[in-house]
Amino acid sequence: MTYCVAIAVAAGSVFVSDSRTHAGVDQISIYSKMHRFDAGPGRQFVMLSAGNLATAQSVVARMERDVEARGHLGLLSANSLEQAAEYIGRLSVEEQQKHRQAHADKSFFPEASFILGGEISGAAPGVLHIYAEGNFVRASQAMPYLQIGEIKYGRPLLDRIISWETPLDAALKCALVSMDSTLRNNATVGPPIEYLVLPAGTRSQGLYRLMQEDDEHLVELRRAWSDNLRIAFDALPGAPGLAGLIGPSAARITRLEVS
Amino acid sequence: MTYCVAIAVAAGSVFVSDSRTHAGVDQISIYSKMHRFDAGPGRQFVMLSAGNLATAQSVVARMERDVEARGHLGLLSANSLEQAAEYIGRLSVEEQQKHRQAHADKSFFPEASFILGGEISGAAPGVLHIYAEGNFVRASQAMPYLQIGEIKYGRPLLDRIISWETPLDAALKCALVSMDSTLRNNATVGPPIEYLVLPAGTRSQGLYRLMQEDDEHLVELRRAWSDNLRIAFDALPGAPGLAGLIGPSAARITRLEVS
């Protein structure tokens, strides 16, 4: 399994991915699912992948070959993220069909899906979800995040915190906590964790980091979230009518303060 | 879809269920998924159901008929929750097979699963998950909660909060917040919400409540959790290295206090 999340807010975009792949529970490996493409000045792309690893690797390899060939194909010539997504979707469907035809076994699933982000001079930045069928959708101001892979455990926090106005550092923090919740609940999602932050309009390479399981920031974030969540939970009001049944519960507290 | 959760801690057990059923997006109804059985003095049972509604209703109807018949079958004669679960599992498999055979359509899914709890004088209380195949497992001290239906959205909080030592009021609070997170993220899980709290060893009927969407406690709990979660999130430490890219972020705060 995989968990990748991308958030596009007014201030820029954030990408976070895990690195665990598995073919059965006793065949677990580490592969990066974050792919960055250097497509010349003013053109940067980042892609996150989920699903069949062979399909994802073939798609990435073909994208890189097309960039190296300096031809009119692919990321070098796309005038928008949508054009790039259409190209990637076509490669993905081709790779899936190639192996689907070669394999009659119904338990073989060549499907892969992608999140594409980045910036092309003059075109709107953003993040797009490319489905296994090759079609795609763009995140919107009303729905500023996209997820692929094991999406459910990490979604409730994104749902409550992320809006178009969320600052970039808060968006990163939220994506990392969302990742941590998923790591805790699905053993097939695992470290190292990679993240990339791309501020809007700066055309910098952004901030990229790879965090191992014992990364100081990741450990501190995990501990702080665990503590803070417990405090936030303890301060919730209790249900009415229980006191008569189980005795008085702790004093009701509904206000938290930061010291 | 459905979301039901049961928690068995040292102090007793808690059951929470939603009430939405659907056969397609335009055929949505309200049915209780919490079934209580009066099986005489010192014997109380509660069952939560998920999956095919017709199967669940048939199983519940047969359980009630067997209780009314006052025979040697079913809840009246079971000496343990496991014996009761075996009986329910058998009814469930019978009902599923009856309709599976009558229906060659592969898109027909008669499967249903159940959570069974309660107390029989002299036998250990607890909660059991009865699978669609009729087999079952009991929650343990190491894993004191069980979920059926749409389980993932509501799991991270249970995972962090619930232990064998959790007081009964905190277990209820946690189950209700877990339900609320699921309601927010899956449109096929919906109110009214029912809950039942059974303190261990008291043989009382426990505390039962049904909460409509605008229930005062539910609304207050939802608002308080939303506020507290935001405060808990804001107080998390930020990632290193971002300041140079996007300017200084808010002062780092890692301590929350309750006022």
Side-chain angles (χ1 to χ4, degrees), chain B residues 32-37 45-68 73-75 83-99 110-116 130-134:
Chain B
S32 170
K33 297 162 193 173
M34 182 179 288
H35 316 280
R36 301 167 72 191
F37 300 89
F45 297 94
V46 54
M47 192 167 85
L48 311 176
S49 56
N52 187 291
L53 180 63
T55 300
Q57 285 192 350
S58 300
V59 170
V60 169
R62 287 180 63 179
M63 290 167 69
E64 284 170 344
R65 279 205 302 273
D66 286 343
V67 168
E68 281 161 21
L73 212 58
L75 301 183
Q83 275 192 7
E86 187 141 347
Y87 154 75
I88 295 164
R90 185 166 47 76
L91 297 186
S92 171
V93 169
E94 282 174 15
E95 290 303 317
Q96 291 173 52
Q97 283 175 345
K98 200 187 290 181
H99 301 291
E111 285 81 5
S113 57
F114 303 92
I115 291 176
L116 176 70
I130 307 170
Y131 297 99
E133 292 76 9

Side-chain angles (χ1 to χ4, degrees), chain B:
Chain B
M1 204 71 184
T2 288
Y3 180 47
C4 299
V5 53
I7 303 174
V9 291
S13 44
V14 166
F15 304 84
V16 176
S17 58
D18 86 309
S19 304
R20 189 164 291 175
T21 68
H22 71 116
V25 291
D26 55 354
Q27 202 180 335
I28 291 176
S29 312
I30 292 175
Y31 283 95
S32 170
K33 297 162 193 173
M34 182 179 288
H35 316 280
R36 301 167 72 191
F37 300 89
D38 177 14
R43 306 178 76 78
Q44 53 182 321
F45 297 94
V46 54
M47 192 167 85
L48 311 176
S49 56
N52 187 291
L53 180 63
T55 300
Q57 285 192 350
S58 300
V59 170
V60 169
R62 287 180 63 179
M63 290 167 69
E64 284 170 344
R65 279 205 302 273
D66 286 343
V67 168
E68 281 161 21
R70 304 260 135 210
H72 283 294
L73 212 58
L75 301 183
L76 290 177
S77 59
N79 291 320
S80 64
L81 283 175
E82 276 75 6
Q83 275 192 7
E86 187 141 347
Y87 154 75
I88 295 164
R90 185 166 47 76
L91 297 186
S92 171
V93 169
E94 282 174 15
E95 290 303 317
Q96 291 173 52
Q97 283 175 345
K98 200 187 290 181
H99 301 291
R100 191 181 279 119
Q101 288 161 358
H103 207 306
D105 180 357
K106 278 184 182 164
S107 69
F108 170 68
F109 300 107
E111 285 81 5
S113 57
F114 303 92
I115 291 176
L116 176 70
E119 212 168 347
I120 302 171
S121 303
V127 294
L128 282 75
H129 182 163
I130 307 170
Y131 297 99
E133 292 76 9
N135 55 346
F136 51 86
V137 296
R138 181 187 271 265
S140 68
Q141 293 194 18
M143 179 65 191
Y145 62 88
L146 297 172
Q147 304 167 284
I148 51 177
E150 173 61 275
I151 67 172
K152 292 186 180 183
Y153 297 117
R155 188 169 180 132
L157 190 73
L158 293 167
D159 172 53
R160 288 180 196 265
I161 298 290
I162 298 296
S163 72
W164 180 245
E165 292 75 28
T166 303
L168 216 42
D169 54 343
L172 173 61
K173 218 161 67 169
C174 188
L176 291 177
V177 177
S178 171
M179 173 61 76
D180 187 50
S181 292
T182 310
L183 292 178
R184 281 181 69 102
N185 284 285
N186 187 324
T188 68
V189 176
I193 306 303
E194 295 176 276
Y195 69 77
L196 177 68
V197 180
L198 289 179
T202 61
R203 296 202 194 118
S204 83
Q205 290 297 304
L207 175 71
Y208 168 82
R209 278 196 72 216
L210 182 146
M211 300 191 290
Q212 298 294 344
E213 182 147 32
D214 61 352
D215 178 273
E216 196 183 328
H217 176 60
L218 194 60
V219 169
E220 191 189 353
L221 189 67
R222 182 177 290 155
R223 185 198 50 71
W225 181 239
S226 197
D227 292 350
N228 291 5
L229 202 68
R230 163 68 69 171
I231 295 168
F233 176 78
D234 286 344
L236 290 178
L242 261 184
L245 196 70
I246 63 167
S249 56
R252 189 161 131 176
I253 302 152
T254 54
R255 200 168 148 68
L256 281 185
E257 280 185 4
V258 174
S259 73

